[in-house]
Amino acid sequence: MTIVEPVLASATRTRLDAAPSSAGSPGTAAAKARVEPAPGIPTRHGALLSWIARIATLTEPDAVVWIDGSAGQQDELKALMVESGTLVPLDPELRPRSFLARSDPSDVARVEDRTFICSRDRDDAGPTNNWREPAAMRAELSGAFAGSMRGRTLYVVPFSMGPIGGPISQLGVQLTDSPYVVVSMAVMTRVGTGVLDELGDAGAFVPAVHSVGAPLVDRDGSPRTDVPWPCNATKYIAHFPETREIWSFGSGYGGNALLGKKCFALRIASVMARDEGWLAEHMLILRVTDPAERVFHVAAAFPSACGKTNLAMLRPTIPGWTVETIGDDIAWMRPGGPGTDGRLRAINPEAGFFGVAPGTGPTTNPTAIEMLRSDVIFTNVALTDDGDVWWEGLTPEPPAHLVDWRGQDWTPDAGTPAAHPNARFTVAADRCPSIADDWDSPAGVAVDAILFGGRRATNVPLVVQARDWAHGVFVGATISSEQTAAAEGTVGELRRDPFAMLPFCGYTMSDHWGHWLALGDRLAAQGVALPAIFQVNWFRKGEDGRWLWPGFGENSRVLAWALGRVAGDAEAVESPVGLLPAPGALDLDGLDVPAADLAALFDVDPGSWLEECDLTEEFFGRFGARLPDALTTELDALRRRLHDATPVAPAAQ
Ligand code: GTP
Ligand code: SPV
Ligand code: MN
């Protein structure tokens, strides 16, 4: 077995002893890894150590390195990646301490068709997840991971989702052979020795195994050359909800590889939340202060690349209002415990932002532009001639020459985007100018309002309030959105994305809706105030294809109306689909939107809504007997209200 020279002088590094391969195991020099309590091993957690030893035996890395969370170790890893070509350092004046990574062109987004929920019972995964029988998947994964880290280093990344030790927080340990993943995890979560201290000798953690699936030594011992972005054409993003395990193979891309994020904080955590009476959701969290100094907290679920980061960092255009950011992608919400008012409290379990670059510019999201001045890892954006970054939407005019996300020369007449449409930035939350001082408060914030949204060119009004909790759950369950570049698939295709959780729920979505309904019933029975629920849509288009609503900072007008509803001082009118702003109730002062566009933004056409109801019935039908009755009741009631609102056509009279 080849043993590379230690490159991380400061790291705790264990070389693995080669041992004769056990009978029947493939390969010539399978290592029998021993990782035991010893000087230099920063934990005495027996289950953790034996798990690491098992994975090292399976994957055959050259060495094991413990990630301690220190800046020095992170800097060494970045230097290593600059040397290997994985990271391009950006100009230190223009973009201090920042780097560009270019992925393999085949590894740019989440792979939903290779994402698996391996529950014992197929019906527990539900009709919208890819289910695999756990034992069969384990066998397949063992084959894929066997020797997959040969010639590489296995990094041990202990991480906390939420502040270490917080009452809503959870711990995990990711094993990975990708230094890019290590440095990204160190931005997106809390990593290092503090997590091991919190784990103690026997604390519970979610084990998460990740390999890019590109060993540097073949089975026969011959070396392979490394590439800047190793990955494998075959990918597995596999979850075992009952045993709370994650196995990810073949990809280095964010949502596939940073396992604290979608895999743990949504797919595994949603199952924990179902079992324990809380919620793990694909939601931003923000704080709004109104001109009367009243403070509100809003959680909002929009599908991938549909505006969560933008809304979380919104700069209100209406005077006297301020918005502070708490999270941009994931919310964990729990009813407050004894001594509190019992309301739902939300934390952002992450510690950084992995945000969409294209479309982020000084007019759309000036806060993000400030946030990205330094200390950023960019992935798949374009490189300027002076060593800075560029993407579509950063400036109105592109530079005359760029190196595009593929590493090729680019000019404005190239006919292809310079940055990949799903190019992303990775940056620590505390770099965000609008971050709330107490954004990482372990107890979280009490949620006053929940928004559900998506990209809908037609039908869905700018804002509508759900009539009550059950109607709100129905609204969440029936969200559809045009697909974006965040996942492999057909961009623009309208698809169901209930609760913006279609790709992220670790169990059947109908049980998820049932869980929301039950939680609402439980809190209501205790006399606890529930958040008000709204549907929003910034993406309605005119017949000529233009956005009807200016969006971005102007979305503060919608927040103001919604929070006015919460406070009891904004007027609403009934419509078949819920409560709309009463005439004059939406603050439009200083806004230059033609009256016809405003009317179109709120138009509810009963005919097309009834057609959507038919599609909803079909969608709900896929869940069979596990669909909560309350949702059938809501669908019936919506149809009735739409019929009542439909003028009877002369021919039908
Ligand atoms: P994930 O990180 O994939 O979960 O996405 P996200 O929901 O955080 O998406 P993000 O805020 O990064 O938005 C993605 C795209 O939506 C960007 O290109 C934005 O410019 C665009 N966008 C956001 N808000 C608005 C809006 O109010 N109006 C319009 N027209 N576009 C918007
Ligand atoms: C999303 O796709 O919803 C994201 C980006 O937030 S990723 O982490 O890649 O899933
Ligand atoms: Mn997301």
Side-chain angles (χ1 to χ4, degrees):
M1 161 183 210
T2 319
I3 297 191
V4 293
E5 282 308 305
V7 275
L8 295 170
S10 70
T12 302
R13 185 178 180 89
T14 310
R15 292 187 185 191
L16 298 175
D17 305 324
S21 45
S22 51
S25 78
T28 51
K32 185 89 182 121
R34 282 190 292 113
V35 184
E36 292 166 356
I41 301 283
T43 178
R44 303 186 57 82
H45 192 301
L48 172 59
L49 291 173
S50 59
W51 170 64
I52 296 170
R54 257 192 339 270
I55 299 305
T57 300
L58 173 67
T59 57
E60 301 176 37
D62 277 351
V64 173
V65 166
W66 293 77
I67 296 305
D68 58 17
S70 68
Q73 190 185 38
Q74 293 297 313
D75 288 346
E76 283 182 59
L77 283 167
K78 287 173 191 161
L80 185 77
M81 284 189 278
V82 168
E83 205 175 303
S84 71
T86 300
L87 292 184
V88 176
L90 296 172
D91 183 86
E93 304 273 303
L94 297 173
R95 206 62 70 164
R97 300 176 300 281
S98 299
F99 301 88
L100 165 64
R102 295 190 194 101
S103 83
D104 186 284
S106 68
D107 194 25
V108 294
R110 285 183 294 99
V111 283
E112 294 180 2
D113 60 341
R114 299 297 301 169
T115 300
F116 304 100
I117 301 297
C118 310
S119 49
R120 279 189 296 269
D121 183 348
R122 178 178 212 136
D123 288 343
D124 288 340
T128 57
N129 276 317
N130 296 313
W131 176 80
R132 287 290 176 88
E133 198 279 314
M137 181 53 97
R138 278 184 201 288
E140 230 177 283
L141 289 172
S142 297
F145 277 89
S148 73
M149 297 188 186
R150 246 182 263 126
R152 296 193 186 276
T153 297
L154 184 166
Y155 299 97
V156 181
V157 189
F159 65 94
S160 178
M161 301 312 292
I164 296 173
I168 309 182
S169 303
Q170 301 279 346
L171 304 177
V173 180
Q174 176 161 354
L175 306 183
T176 179
D177 56 6
S178 162
Y180 168 86
V181 165
V182 175
V183 299
S184 302
M185 282 292 288
V187 174
M188 296 304 298
T189 73
R190 288 93 172 160
V191 306
T193 315
V195 178
L196 293 179
D197 294 345
E198 178 67 20
L199 265 178
D201 291 353
F205 67 95
V206 167
V209 188
H210 172 252
S211 172
V212 292
L216 292 174
V217 180
D218 277 336
R219 259 165 220 276
D220 65 6
S222 48
R224 283 192 215 168
T225 45
D226 206 357
V227 290
W229 187 279
C231 60
N232 194 305
T234 302
K235 296 177 176 39
Y236 294 90
I237 319 295
H239 309 74
F240 296 82
E242 282 112 4
T243 47
R244 319 271 201 247
E245 285 166 82
I246 302 160
W247 292 75
S248 165
F249 180 88
S251 172
Y253 168 76
N256 300 330
L258 313 181
L259 303 184
K261 195 171 177 57
K262 303 300 160 127
C263 298
F264 184 169
L266 290 177
R267 299 196 191 94
I268 295 295
S270 61
V271 175
M272 294 174 155
R274 174 200 62 189
D275 294 349
E276 299 167 8
W278 50 284
L279 301 167
E281 299 294 333
H282 192 203
M283 291 179 175
L284 67 93
I285 310 166
L286 56 78
R287 172 180 299 150
V288 184
T289 307
D290 77 1
E293 303 281 317
R294 293 183 300 190
V295 175
F296 304 90
H297 293 100
V298 179
F302 308 157
S304 302
C306 288
K308 289 185 300 301
T309 303
N310 279 269
L311 189 65
M313 295 173 195
L314 166 140
R315 283 196 192 169
T317 51
I318 44 178
W321 292 74
T322 53
V323 164
E324 292 163 81
T325 309
I326 294 174
D328 84 327
D329 197 48
I330 298 174
W332 284 358
M333 297 186 283
R334 248 180 220 266
T340 70
D341 57 9
R343 296 170 65 202
L344 272 181
R345 300 191 71 87
I347 66 159
N348 166 15
E350 301 192 274
F353 303 120
F354 181 62
V356 179
T360 306
T363 52
T364 57
N365 192 347
T367 300
I369 294 298
E370 274 181 40
M371 169 175 80
L372 299 176
R373 275 199 192 138
S374 68
D375 304 280
V376 189
I377 301 167
F378 296 95
T379 303
N380 288 341
V381 301
L383 182 67
T384 66
D385 292 347
D386 51 7
D388 201 0
V389 286
W390 191 85
W391 51 78
E392 280 69 18
L394 180 60
T395 55
E397 293 299 320
H401 176 262
L402 292 166
V403 175
D404 73 6
W405 69 276
R406 289 188 170 88
Q408 285 162 6
D409 284 315
W410 185 95
T411 51
D413 58 4
T416 54
H420 186 277
N422 192 37
R424 299 237 169 198
F425 51 78
T426 309
V427 65
D430 59 14
R431 309 298 311 176
C432 176
S434 61
I435 199 81
D437 286 345
D438 57 346
W439 72 275
D440 55 354
S441 145
V445 296
V447 180
D448 297 291
I450 292 174
L451 315 184
F452 291 113
R455 284 178 188 262
R456 291 297 309 263
T458 61
N459 277 14
V460 177
L462 179 65
V463 59
V464 53
Q465 183 180 4
R467 302 156 64 88
D468 54 25
W469 185 261
H471 182 225
V473 173
F474 174 82
V475 166
T478 53
I479 290 291
S480 308
S481 189
E482 290 142 27
Q483 197 171 335
T484 65
E488 301 286 343
T490 314
V491 172
E493 204 167 72
L494 189 63
R495 67 168 191 176
R496 296 269 156 184
D497 195 347
F499 280 71
M501 283 287 277
L502 181 82
F504 306 124
C505 195
Y507 62 105
T508 183
M509 291 263 20
S510 54
D511 285 6
H512 172 265
W513 308 331
H515 179 54
W516 269 74
L517 290 163
L519 187 68
D521 286 346
R522 180 156 64 92
L523 294 182
Q526 293 165 3
V528 171
L530 288 164
I533 300 181
F534 301 82
Q535 179 171 23
V536 297
N537 178 26
W538 319 140
F539 298 94
R540 199 151 176 178
K541 287 183 176 169
E543 267 158 23
D544 51 1
R546 125 199 98 76
W547 305 120
L548 290 172
W549 180 249
F552 303 105
E554 304 294 4
N555 294 334
S556 55
R557 299 171 187 277
V558 173
L559 286 179
W561 178 75
L563 295 172
R565 294 295 299 157
V566 169
D569 50 29
E571 296 294 320
V573 291
E574 291 266 0
S575 90
V577 300
L579 301 157
L580 300 175
L586 188 69
D587 180 354
L588 297 170
D589 249 21
L591 188 66
D592 198 15
V593 174
D597 285 7
L598 275 172
L601 276 164
F602 285 102
D603 183 47
V604 175
D605 173 40
S608 34
W609 271 82
L610 281 165
E611 281 167 30
E612 285 209 17
C613 286
D614 293 345
L615 299 175
T616 297
E617 183 176 346
E618 219 173 280
F619 178 59
F620 281 177
R622 296 177 62 193
F623 296 90
R626 286 172 85 139
L627 182 76
D629 290 341
L631 294 186
T632 311
T633 308
E634 287 296 330
L635 178 59
D636 291 346
L638 172 61
R639 277 176 159 154
R640 233 182 358 261
R641 294 194 302 269
L642 289 164
H643 274 299
D644 290 348
T646 313
V648 180
Q653 279 176 337

